[in-house]
Each structure stands twice: as C-alpha cells, then as structure tokens.
Amino acid sequence: MNCIELRRRLLSFLLLYGMYLQLFAQQVTSISGQVRDEHTHQAVKDVIVSIEGISSRTISDNQGAFSLKNIRIPIGEHYIIFYKKGYKKKKYPITIHPKEILALGIVFIEYDAVFYNDEIGTITISDEEIGAPVYDILDAPDVLHATKDAFLSALAYDFSTTFHRYRRVGSQKTQVLLNGLSLHSLATYRPQWSSWGGLNDITKHQEFTTGITANEYVFGSLGGVTNINMSASSHPKGGKISFANSNRTFGNRLMATYSTGLSPKNTAYTISLSKRKTEEGLIEGTYYNGISFFLAAEKKWKKHSLQLAGIYTPLKRGKYTAITEEVFRLKGRYYNPYWGYQNGIFRNAAVRKTEKPIAFISHDWKISDKVQLFTNIAFQTGKTTNSSIDIGGTDIIQISDNIQFISGGGNSRWSNPMHPANLPSYYLQTTKGHNYKNAFLATQRFQENGQLNWDNLIRANSITRQEGKNATYAIREDIEKATQWNGASQWRIKPTDNLKFNGAVNYKKEHNRYYAIIGDLLGGTQFLDVDAFVSNSELSNEEKIHYAQNNLKTPNRLVTEGDTYKYDYTMFSETINGFSQCSWNSKTIDIYLGGQLSTTAHQREGSYENGKFKGVASLGKSDKAHFVNYGIKGGISFHIYGKHSFRLAGMYGTEAPGWRQVFISPRESNIQVKEVTSKPLKSEQILSTELEYLYRGNRITTKLTAFYSTLQHTSNVSSFYTTALAGTAQEFIREVLVDADQKSMGVEIGASCQILSGLELKTAASIGSALYTNNPNLMITGTGDFLRKQGGTLSLGKSFLKGYHIPTGPEIAAQLGISYRDPQFWWTGISANYFANARINSSPFTRTLNFIQDTDGQPFNEYDPLIARELLQQETLGSYFLVNIIGGKSWKWQRKYTLGCFASINNVLNTLYKTGGFEQVRKGNYRQLLDASETTTPVYGNRYYYGYGTSYYINLYVRF
C-alpha cells in the first residue's frame, strides 16, 4: 500500500468518524415553558417560539404555554427566539445536555414601545386619507401595511404621504377586515376609513398578508388583506393615556384606553376613547372635530368564546380641493377656495359629517383540537353628509294665464372664488384679446382676498326676499343614510401538523338611501325645487317647466330648511361569497390553493319622478343588475437552509362592479350602463402573478418582489360640464367608459442591516407602473340641446388611451434610512426619500375623435397631428426628495408605569411637490387646447394636489 492510498483511507475514516460523532452528539429532547408580559405579568398568546439554526417552531397558546416536542438538536449551547408583533424579539440562552428535557418555566418578553410609537404616528396619514377629496389617487390604505418588513414600513410611514399605490392598484383592490368582516361599501368597494378613525390603540392589532398570498379569512385581491382584531382579550391588561399635537390634519388628540386582560373567570373588557380637534389644519379652512369610542367584552369557556364590540366615531371636517398652477402662484400650496368669513366668523362651505356606529357579535367554537369555527356578525347604520353651495335658486314668472317661464339662477363667480372670471388669466385669453389692466386688477383682488364672500350671497338673497322672490343661493346637504348587515362563518381544519383547510361563507346586505336637503337658506325664505339649468331650445316654456321638475309628483314645490329636494332614491345591494383554501407546510416547502364563488346584485328604487326621465325611467324599482363571479389562486414557497425563501403565486378571477359603475345617473334615473351600451356590463377579469425572494441572515434581511397583473373589462362613470362637444356645443354630460384593459407591474425591494448593536440601516425601493393596454369604448349621455337631438346618448367610439399611465402615485420611490435604538429606551431615525414619475389623470373624453372635430363633424382646418400629439401628452410631475426624522424615549416609573414620548418631523427641508392631479375638460378639443397652450396659465389648466411642507407630530403617553 503506497503512501497516497494510505492517506486517502485515513481521510475517509476521519470523515466517517466525524459524521458518527455528529450523529450521536444530537439529542432528541423537548422544551416547554410559558410566555408572559414583563410589565403586566399576563400570559401572552401567539408568540412564535423557535431555536436559532433549527427549523422547528411552535406558537404559544391562550395561556402563553408552549412546547417544542421531540426535536433533534446538537448537544451544547443554543438560543431560543421569542417573537410577537408589538414585543421586542428575545434571545433566550439554553444549554442542551444528554438525556435532558428542558422546562424553562416563565419567560418574560418586553413590550416594544418603539413599535407602538410608530403605530401612533400613522394616525396623521390615516386622517389625511379620510380628509382627502373623492379622487382615486388620494384614497390610500397603505398606512395599514405597517410591519417590521423594511419595504412595507417605508410604504406605511414615508411613501404613503405621496399617495404611492401598493402593487399599483387603488384601495378598492385592498381588503380591510374588522373581526374577519369586510365593511367596504358595495358602491365602490373602498374601505370606509372614518368608521374606525381615531382608535389607534385598537386598530394596531393587525394581521396583514401581502398581495395574493394565502389568507385565512377571505379570498383576497391584488392589494392584500388586513384584518383588525377587535376582541377584548387580544389587548394586554393595562391602560394608556396619550396626548398628541400636530400641525397636519388635526391639532390635538387626547386618547385613553384600558383593558382588563383575561381574568381568572375568563372574561375580558376593553374600552377606548379619543377626541381629535383643530380649528384649522395646514390647508386653509380644513377644521377637524372628531370623537372616537370603542367598547368590547368577551367571555371564554372551555371550547367557546363570545365577543361583543361597538364602535362610534362621529366626525365633522372642512374639505379642500385641487388647484391650478395659476392659483398656486397667487395664493400658495395651502389655498382652499371653500371657506370665507360670514359676519367676521370663519365658515367652510364644503363640510363632511359622518356618523356610522358599528356593532359586532362574534362566537368562536373550538370543536376539537383540529377543528375550529368562527362566526361574526356586524351591523352598521348612520349617515354621511356633504355640504355645498346650490346656486340654482329660481322663480316661476307668470306672464299671462297661459304663459310662464323659469327665471333666475345664481352666479357661480360668487360661489366659487377660483372661478376663471376671478383670475387674471381670464383677461389674457388670446381669443378675447389681452386686457392687462383687468388682469392686474384681478390679480390684486385675488391675492388680497380670494376667499368665499358669504356676505355677497346673503345680500343677494336679501334682495330677492324683499322683491317677494325665492332664494337664489342655499346650502345643500347631500346625505347618505346607510344600513349594512354583514355576516361570516369561517372554519379551520387541521388534520395534521402540516395540512390545513380553511374557508368561509360571507354575506353582506346594504340598504342605503340618498337624498338632498336644504341646510341653510342664507337669509332667504324658500327655494324652488326645479333644475335651474335646463337647456333645450326646442321646448316651449311650459314644456321646459315640466322638463325641469326634480319630482313631477310635486311640481314647482317650494322647500325650506330641512326639506328634502333635488333627488331621493334608495340603493339595494347584496353579495354572497363562498371561499375555501387548502395549505400544506413543511420545513422546506409551503403550498396553498384556494378558490371562491360569489354572487352580487344591485337595484335602485327612485322616490322621485324626474321630469327628464319620466315614469319607470326614474320612479320605482329598476331592473336588478346581477353578477356571478369566481376566482382561483395558488402559491408555492421553498425554504433553503433556513435563510433563503422563494415564493411564486398566481391568481385568476372576476370581480363584480360596484353600483356606481352600474348606474349612469343614479340621482336622476334608473338607467344602467347596459341600456346605453346595448350590451351587458361585464365583471372585471383579473390575472396576477408574484415572484418573491427572501433572505434572512444574522444581520441582513432582504426581500425582493416582482409582480405583474392584468385587469380586463374595467369600467367607469363620471360627469362634467364641457364646451367642447362637437366643436362648440355646451353641455353637462355623463361619460361612460367600458371594456378598458389595464396592467400593473413592478418590482419592490426592502433590506435592513444590523450594523452595530442598536444601529440599523434600512433601504427600500419600488419601481413600477399601471397602464391602459387597449383603446376602450366611450359613450356620453345628457339632457341638453345637443344630446337630446341624438336621442340622449352618443357613442364617441374609441378613447385612445392605450399606453397612457393610470395615476398610482410616484412610479419610482426609494428610501435610505438609518435608526439607532439605545438600551436606555431612547431611539431615533432619519430617512431620505426620492420620488419621481407621478402622473396626472388623463381625460378619456379628450382622447376621442371628438377632440379634432369641428361643428360640421370634419377635422378643424388648423388641425396638425404633431401638435395634437403634444397637446395630449400626459403630464409627468417633477421628482423630489423628502427627508423625515423620527424619535422617541420611554421611562419606567415605580415598575408600574411607562412614560414615553414620540415625535416626527416630515419634509424637514420644506420641499415643494405635487402628489397628483387631473385634466379639466371644460375646454377639451384641439382648437381650445391649442389656444390655451399659448398662455403660461391656461384658464382651464390642469388641477393639482400639493403635498405638505414641513410638518410635525408629537405624542406623549403613560402606560399603566
């Protein structure tokens, strides 16, 4: 035997011997204990317990007990990891000895003040969303995505202030659940944020699943699912009182919360109360006054749990609107045309009031160790009121016994300080010639005042009252009186440790009445309930009066304060949904497959017979719009060496339209989209896929996600006034866009690195967009002169939207941040954020052949396709940087109390930026836009929403 062969055999022997030692150095053992809160000494459930470097894991039960059974672990020193959202991660050292079973006894974990301070900070974002105008780009749920995940954390606390859209979809594609129930309105499927606003101590108990991943409560949609646990026992024993001050949406907030925890008699109670108020936020005229109240009780038995909860959050606030570039230059980013002084007292004309209490009852039944059944019922009722100025006050003028006509109507220049006639650009239009003197005077008037002049409106009504006439101006209140029943039965079956089945049956029914009342006659005595702006030259005076009636059952009705007028109808909607899911989990692979089947129905019942839509076209019940929908989704994840994970998921399904997409003009008629397009309205078809990579190292965590989604057969109904129809026709029209196809795609990345003890570096980025992928069909309807000659409906053919971007906030968002967390319970952080490529909303009407057509139906003589392409180019907003700073400190006092403070400063550098906007279509054809392009500030230029400048938020609290 030569030397080389001897060496080879010796190495083989040593290798086998080492494997032998390693195998027999493994110990099969069990580890048990109980997890408790360090402050309250109460048991903590749902704590994830794992051993560092070992794949085995378990979760603590309702008594905080845990047990890792029959695990194979090397003899020697190890760390057990205890983790639960809202608590600091704890590494507990253990030593494994041969033939020893570990009973750790009680293990205390520490409440994470930093985590809850972060949650407190999100109230400013959430309230801004409640206060935003009804415009898709401002309707964001991203504040509920706050987690330890680097990307989702950046999205919640930094990206959301720019209205960046998660997965490039609107909030109607994100489901927010309370106790497993979706309280979204069936009108638009958007969350009703104000229904639970101001209850931060309650709503911070969340479960969030990203994108189209598996969820235990519902099938889900593209934007993921957030479930807020409202049960009393989910809150640890103790109380908290906090006071917050901010210069953003609300000025001051006082909040108090107390929970008994689960008592020895297995009962628990939680109560929370907050008050938010400011006389004026950063945006002029946006006052805020809200109260939030929450009460929950729970009783547990051996296999059953009964829970009761109630929410009451009345809110009143002043609204604001988007402004043009010209108005911004004259008055600044915080200008709001809705307010002015009445007898020296501040007053906002556009006020939103909500009062929709919710009651919950839930029952949990542990049928066996492997089968659980959860039943939840919710009832919500109340109303939402939005006020505005009605300038349609008129009189019936009697000329003779047989001749009468409608006379009157107010001046919108008086009710809208931002009206073009009040701005200098009105006097610099090329078609009217340049009147520099009047432009200069308009500039002076607008800069010196530029607010709503209530005294002018009251004076005008006083004059008509003295003349024995009706009021010209009034405050109109549009009211939604809503009732919603919501129920769900959810089950979970776990036949083995690896296999789980879960599903649910959900039912929702809405019965909502919509009507308007006279809120304030502004010094007048009565108001004539007719449409003052009826325009039809072919009708006689008598026919016009008949045509103008809001309700033919009560013609020429005079109304006073508190009376219903204008419109009155009820919308009935209901949906039934069945969902089932199967998942299989192991150390190296996770698989899930789910499906759903649903049915949705919408029906309108009119209480008024409108003069423009006689008989059943407006009065009584409409045909029922019915939709049957389905969905299927699945995913697979691979886990490699405990540090690397790969996930692939896909979904295909259909979703029913909300009733606002079904009915063209629900305030006036029963007419549905299908009656205008002569074909059934289709449900949206959705196809989506996600690919994710996750790395969890000792110091570095990185997640990279790529997503791609298509939406087909989307539809939208909107209304506006234009002077660009068929060249010069002026008319209030309703626009119906059908069969629009879209795609959303992008990449998201989040990473964090523990540089030193307590010092962490974070980075996050999102690059993506949403686009139209076809040229959808566009129909318009109306009751004016031009469209009446067309039978009330006109097809404008294709709207050439293919390739245009759908506004989803900045298409590029990136962050670099660093934070330090000191063992002495203080912490601070700073982040630099970059945003670019936000788009404004493009008008479908402007991008039809109507854009180039003159009054004879032929292209304008001066039409140039190259210039037209430039005029129709979608506006991209500028890029910008935002720097945000946060910090906090907490103290322990007498071992019973925790005192703390949290502060944030957003937009430290006071950067000026636009968050979004939209095109005005009053001047919406080639000739009009060409004329407007020759001025620096077009009369009907694009309107924008501006982000806040430097703002702050401070919160002080005590826990006991």
Side-chain angles (χ1 to χ4, degrees), residues 638-845:
F638 299 95
H639 311 292
I640 304 172
Y641 303 123
K643 292 186 177 182
H644 304 272
S645 295
F646 296 88
R647 180 177 65 87
L648 176 65
M651 182 190 83
Y652 176 76
T654 61
E655 293 183 2
W659 65 257
R660 290 197 182 278
Q661 298 167 276
V662 173
F663 293 89
I664 292 177
S665 182
R667 289 185 176 181
E668 297 178 321
S669 77
N670 288 328
I671 298 176
Q672 299 180 25
V673 169
K674 66 179 182 180
E675 298 173 57
V676 173
T677 60
S678 299
K679 60 180 181 179
L681 182 64
K682 298 178 182 178
S683 295
E684 292 183 5
Q685 290 184 3
I686 301 174
L687 177 65
S688 181
T689 184
E690 299 174 355
L691 179 62
E692 180 181 283
Y693 167 71
L694 174 64
Y695 171 77
R696 290 193 186 96
N698 293 331
R699 291 181 174 273
I700 298 175
T701 300
T702 302
K703 185 168 76 172
L704 176 66
T705 305
F707 62 91
Y708 182 87
S709 303
T710 63
L711 291 81
Q712 295 182 312
H713 306 304
T714 67
S715 59
N716 187 59
V717 178
S718 58
S719 57
F720 51 85
Y721 182 82
T722 184
T723 62
L725 188 59
T728 58
Q730 305 180 27
E731 194 150 336
F732 182 83
I733 66 174
R734 294 165 189 87
E735 175 186 82
V736 182
L737 188 72
V738 293
D739 290 330
D741 296 344
Q742 308 170 11
K743 68 177 178 181
S744 301
M745 54 188 175
V747 176
E748 300 165 349
I749 185 170
S752 61
C753 176
Q754 199 75 31
I755 303 173
L756 298 171
S757 178
L759 187 64
E760 186 177 41
L761 181 69
K762 287 186 177 182
T763 185
S766 173
I767 302 174
S769 61
L771 303 168
Y772 287 104
T773 59
N774 75 331
N775 295 319
N777 295 312
L778 187 72
M779 308 285 293
I780 58 173
T781 68
T783 56
D785 280 352
F786 179 81
L787 285 176
R788 185 178 175 86
K789 295 176 184 178
Q790 311 296 323
T793 300
L794 178 65
S795 172
L796 297 184
K798 297 293 184 181
S799 178
F800 297 96
L801 291 171
K802 185 175 182 179
Y804 278 84
H805 293 244
I806 300 166
T808 57
E811 296 182 347
I812 300 175
Q815 179 189 90
L816 181 64
I818 190 168
S819 63
Y820 176 72
R821 183 169 170 168
D822 194 85
Q824 298 302 313
F825 302 103
W826 66 268
W827 60 278
T828 186
I830 184 171
S831 66
N833 305 271
Y834 173 76
F835 302 97
N837 290 6
R839 317 281 178 146
I840 72 165
N841 203 24
S842 299
S843 165
F845 172 78

Side-chain angles (χ1 to χ4, degrees), residues 367-383:
I367 300 173
S368 69
D369 290 339
K370 299 181 182 297
V371 181
Q372 292 177 286
L373 181 66
F374 307 91
T375 303
N376 301 292
I377 297 174
F379 174 72
Q380 182 177 28
T381 188
K383 65 180 182 179

Side-chain angles (χ1 to χ4, degrees), residues 184-249:
H184 294 206
S185 167
L186 292 177
T188 61
Y189 298 110
R190 300 185 188 280
Q192 302 180 68
W193 301 106
S194 59
S195 294
W196 55 85
L199 295 171
N200 296 60
D201 288 342
I202 305 303
T203 58
K204 67 190 178 187
H205 292 270
Q206 305 168 11
E207 306 166 65
F208 175 64
T209 54
T210 61
I212 56 175
T213 53
N215 184 272
E216 294 190 339
Y217 302 98
V218 291
F219 182 78
S221 191
L222 302 179
V225 179
T226 297
N227 181 58
I228 301 172
N229 190 343
M230 313 295 287
S231 64
S233 65
S234 65
H235 304 272
K237 181 180 179 180
K240 186 177 76 172
I241 299 174
S242 65
F243 174 78
N245 178 263
S246 173
N247 67 340
R248 299 173 189 171
T249 304

Side-chain angles (χ1 to χ4, degrees), residues 294-308:
F294 172 83
L295 180 65
E298 183 173 359
K299 170 66 177 177
K300 286 180 177 288
W301 293 272
K302 185 176 181 180
K303 291 189 175 183
H304 297 270
S305 172
L306 183 65
Q307 306 157 31
L308 301 174

